[in-house]
Amino acid sequence: MRFITEILWVFIIFSFLGWLIQFVPESIKERKPKNPGFLVMPFLPSNGIAMVMIYIIFSRIESAFVVIVGSAVLLMMYKFILSMAFDKSFGFKWKDYSKKRFNLNGYVSIPESLLYGALGFFATRFFFEPICGLVAVIPFWAALLIPAVITGLIIADAIISIITVINLWKNLKKMNSISKLIEENDDGISDEELRKSYERRVLKSKRFRLRLVSAFPDMQSLNYEKQLSDIRKQFNIIREKNNETYEKKIDNPEDRPFAYGLSFTKLFWLFLIGSLFGTLLETLWSIFIDGHFEMRVGLVLGPFIPVYGSGAVVITLCLYKLHRSGDLVVYLASAAIGATFEYLCSYFQEMFLGTVSWDYSDTPFNLYGRTNLTFALIWGVLGLVWLRYIYPVLSRLIEKIPKKPGRIISLILVVFMAIDGALSIMAIYRKGQRETNIPPKTVVGETIDKVFTDDYMNFVFPHMSKPEDFQNNEKNIKKKAEKR
C-alpha cells in the first residue's frame, strides 16, 4: 500500500512541477498568466506518468549511465506514442518538430530527448528519496487520501478535456463542410446564410475549447488548419475584451506605464507590498488576538514577511484569469492555493533550515501541523478580497510611478531584498550552529555572529525554533506575555 501511495505522490508532484516549469517562463514571456497544460487544473499528467515510469523502473538502479540512457529512450518513445495517438485519433499535433533536425515524424526531437535522460537521472538521485521521506512522515490516512482525491480530480479534468478535444474536432469538421459549401454554393443556399452559419460555428467554440487553443499555440490540424486559425482569432478577440474589463490594454509600448501588465516589476512590487502587509497583519494579530505586542518579521532587516509577499504573487498568478468567475469559485481556489502554499513553505523551511515558524498540531483539522482548515478559510477570504478589490487598485497605483525613477528604485529594492534574504538565511544557519557550539569558520560567519546575536534573532523571530522545541517556545512566549 505504501508503494501505491508513493506512486500517487510522485505522479501529483511531477505533474504540478511540469506544469509550473512551463507556466512561469510562458507567463513572463506573455506578461500575463498562461496555462500551458491540457487540463484546466495546474497539472500536466503526461509528465507525472513519465516520472512514475522512471520511479518504478530506474529508482533502484545505481548505474548513472543506465539511468540516463534508459530514461532518454523510455521518455522519447513515450512522448512519440502519446503524440502519435493524439494525431491519429483527433488529427491534432500539439507541437510540431518536423522543422528541427533529427526528429521522428515531427512528434519528438532526438536532441531534446537527451534532456529527458538528464531529468530522469536527477529525479532518481535527488527527488524520489525526499518524496518518499515526506510520505513516511505524513499520517497514513492523509498520505493516501490527499493524492487519491487530487488524482481523481485530475482524471475527471482529463475526461472533460478529452471530450472538449472531440467536440472541437467535430466543430472543425462541420466548419470545413460549410467552407466547401461556400466555395461550391451549388445547393441553393445563399452565401450570406452559409457565412452566418460558419460564424456561429466559430462562436460556438467557447471557453474550454478556446482555452485549449490558447494553451497550445503551435497546435496544428492538417485537415482543418484554416478553421482552427479562425477559432484562434476569435479567442484573441474574446480574450482582449475580457481583459479590458479588468485592466486597460495599451497596444503601443511607448504609451505603456511603469510596470505594465503582469511583468516581473509588477510582481516584485506586489511581493514587496504583500510582505509589508503581512508584517502589519501579524503585528495587529499579536496585539488584539494574543494580547501583547511582539516583533513578527520574516527577514533580519526591515518589516518584511516574504511568505505573505510570495503568497500575494502566487495568488495573483493563479487567480488572475478567474476575475470573471463567481466569488465562490475564487474563494475555494484561494483557500486551496493558500493552504497548499503555507504547507510547502513550512515543509521547505524545516527541510533546508531545520526550523519552524508555526505549528498547528494542537488545532482541529490540521495537516501535520503545517496548515489547517481555519487558515485555509482565511486564505480564501484574503484571496477573494485581493482579486476583487486590492489588486486592481494596487496595480493602478504602481503604474502611476514615473518610469525612470521607478526602474532605479526597483533595481535598488531588488538588490536590497536579495541581500536581506541571503543574510537572513546565513543568520538562521549560524544561530543553529551556535546552539550546537559550532564556531564560525570564516570571517563572514564571525561577522554574522557579531551583528545578528541570539538576542537579536530571538527578538525578530520570536516563534522560530526547532520542530521539537516549538511547543515549549510557544509556552514561554505566552508566560512572558502574561507577566506583562
Side-chain angles (χ1 to χ4, degrees), residues 34 68 78 110 150 162 189 222 224 268 309 343 349 432 470:
K34 187 176 187 305
I68 293 173
Y78 166 69
I110 295 178
I150 296 176
I162 291 173
I189 303 175
L222 298 179
Y224 311 120
F268 171 75
Y343 182 95
Q349 178 184 345
F470 187 87

Side-chain angles (χ1 to χ4, degrees), residues 336-468:
I337 294 168
T340 303
F341 178 74
E342 187 175 33
Y343 182 95
L344 293 175
C345 287
S346 174
Y347 175 74
F348 286 115
Q349 178 184 345
E350 183 176 347
M351 176 184 288
F352 293 108
L353 299 178
T355 62
V356 294
S357 296
W358 61 86
D359 186 354
Y360 305 136
S361 298
D362 57 348
T363 62
F365 304 106
N366 74 84
L367 183 58
Y368 204 60
R370 303 188 189 281
T371 188
N372 62 15
L373 180 60
T374 301
F375 281 95
L377 298 178
I378 292 175
W379 275 107
V381 174
L382 291 175
L384 179 61
V385 174
W386 176 267
L387 187 71
R388 290 284 186 260
Y389 307 106
I390 299 177
Y391 171 75
V393 174
L394 280 181
S395 179
R396 287 192 291 269
L397 289 175
I398 293 171
E399 291 178 357
K400 288 183 179 180
I401 299 174
K403 285 186 179 181
K404 189 172 182 179
R407 294 192 186 100
I408 297 173
I409 295 172
S410 297
L411 179 60
I412 294 173
L413 289 174
V414 167
V415 173
F416 171 78
M417 294 299 290
I419 294 173
D420 197 0
L423 288 175
S424 299
I425 293 173
M426 289 188 288
I428 294 170
Y429 180 73
R430 275 302 305 153
K431 184 176 184 295
Q433 288 189 323
R434 289 197 298 269
E435 291 174 353
T436 55
N437 298 318
I438 299 177
K441 298 180 181 179
T442 63
V443 176
V444 175
E446 293 175 356
T447 305
I448 292 291
D449 285 355
K450 291 178 182 178
V451 177
F452 305 110
T453 62
D454 287 344
D455 290 338
Y456 181 83
M457 295 296 288
N458 291 331
F459 174 70
V460 295
F461 303 131
H463 294 268
M464 182 179 290
S465 58
K466 293 182 179 179
E468 60 271 16

Side-chain angles (χ1 to χ4, degrees), residues 313-333:
V313 172
V314 170
I315 285 179
T316 300
L317 289 173
C318 293
L319 300 183
Y320 185 82
K321 285 196 172 183
L322 294 179
H323 67 88
R324 292 175 61 86
S325 302
D327 289 349
L328 180 60
V329 174
V330 175
Y331 177 82
L332 293 176

Side-chain angles (χ1 to χ4, degrees), residues 145-164:
L145 182 61
I146 292 173
V149 171
I150 296 176
T151 301
L153 293 173
I154 291 175
I155 292 173
D157 196 349
I159 293 173
I160 294 173
S161 298
I162 291 173
I163 292 174
T164 300

Side-chain angles (χ1 to χ4, degrees), residues 194-255:
L194 290 172
R195 294 185 190 282
K196 287 182 178 180
S197 177
Y198 187 86
E199 290 174 1
R200 284 195 296 270
R201 284 288 169 185
V202 173
L203 293 172
K204 190 176 180 180
S205 297
K206 295 180 181 178
R207 195 164 181 180
F208 290 110
R209 274 173 262 177
L210 291 174
R211 195 210 67 77
L212 196 66
V213 173
S214 171
F216 300 97
D218 298 328
M219 182 172 65
Q220 293 183 357
S221 175
L222 298 179
N223 298 323
Y224 311 120
E225 188 58 33
K226 178 184 180 301
Q227 289 73 34
L228 191 62
S229 176
D230 290 339
I231 291 177
R232 192 175 282 117
K233 291 176 182 177
Q234 179 63 30
F235 168 81
N236 291 331
I237 294 172
I238 294 175
R239 181 179 60 182
E240 290 176 4
K241 289 182 178 179
N242 290 343
N243 289 340
E244 285 178 2
T245 63
Y246 195 61
E247 285 192 311
K248 186 178 179 181
K249 181 187 177 184
I250 302 175
D251 294 322
N252 188 358
E254 296 181 0
D255 297 332

